[in-house]
Amino acid sequence: MTLAPLRLNKNEERRLRAGHVWVFSNEVAEVVGAPEDGALVEVTDVRGAFLGIATWNHRSLICARILTRGRDVIDVDFFARRLERALRLREQVAPGLD
């Protein structure tokens, strides 16, 4: 599946590289094509270096939210693995809570 590229303005990748997951609309230089809200986009820095895969919402100040910093396939299994990992962490941090 080919994702619409979302290219950031110069120096706007710093927060993402530091672990932040939000992309603000004023940080975006270009979105190729016209992805629908909720679609996946490939976030890159100004030179085209891959930063992650995000969900897109052109109507929001937070226009993209990073789901993964890898090239993972985003499907039902992706979310199932994330939920399983969250449940294991919750059990370790707060055992017995339901």
Side-chain angles (χ1 to χ4, degrees), residues 12-25:
E12 296 292 354
E13 76 281 358
R14 291 184 212 156
R15 286 181 322 91
L16 294 181
R17 290 190 193 279
H20 202 339
V21 296
W22 291 352
V23 176
F24 293 97
S25 58

Side-chain angles (χ1 to χ4, degrees), residues 78-88:
F78 172 86
F79 290 104
R81 287 189 307 271
R82 289 283 178 100
L83 288 170
E84 288 170 4
R85 187 172 21 173
L87 287 170
R88 284 193 309 268

Side-chain angles (χ1 to χ4, degrees), residues 4-70:
L6 181 156
R7 186 172 50 89
L8 298 178
N9 290 318
K10 186 176 181 180
N11 298 322
E12 296 292 354
E13 76 281 358
R14 291 184 212 156
R15 286 181 322 91
L16 294 181
R17 290 190 193 279
H20 202 339
V21 296
W22 291 352
V23 176
F24 293 97
S25 58
N26 64 330
E27 299 171 335
V28 176
E30 171 185 37
V31 179
V32 177
E36 293 183 21
D37 291 339
L40 299 174
V41 293
E42 183 175 299
V43 181
T44 68
D45 68 11
V46 71
R47 296 168 318 217
F50 179 81
L51 296 170
I53 297 173
T55 56
W56 168 251
N57 182 352
H58 86 282
R59 296 184 178 127
S60 177
L61 176 61
I62 301 168
C63 65
R65 195 228 184 253
I66 300 290
L67 294 174
T68 179
R69 296 179 192 289

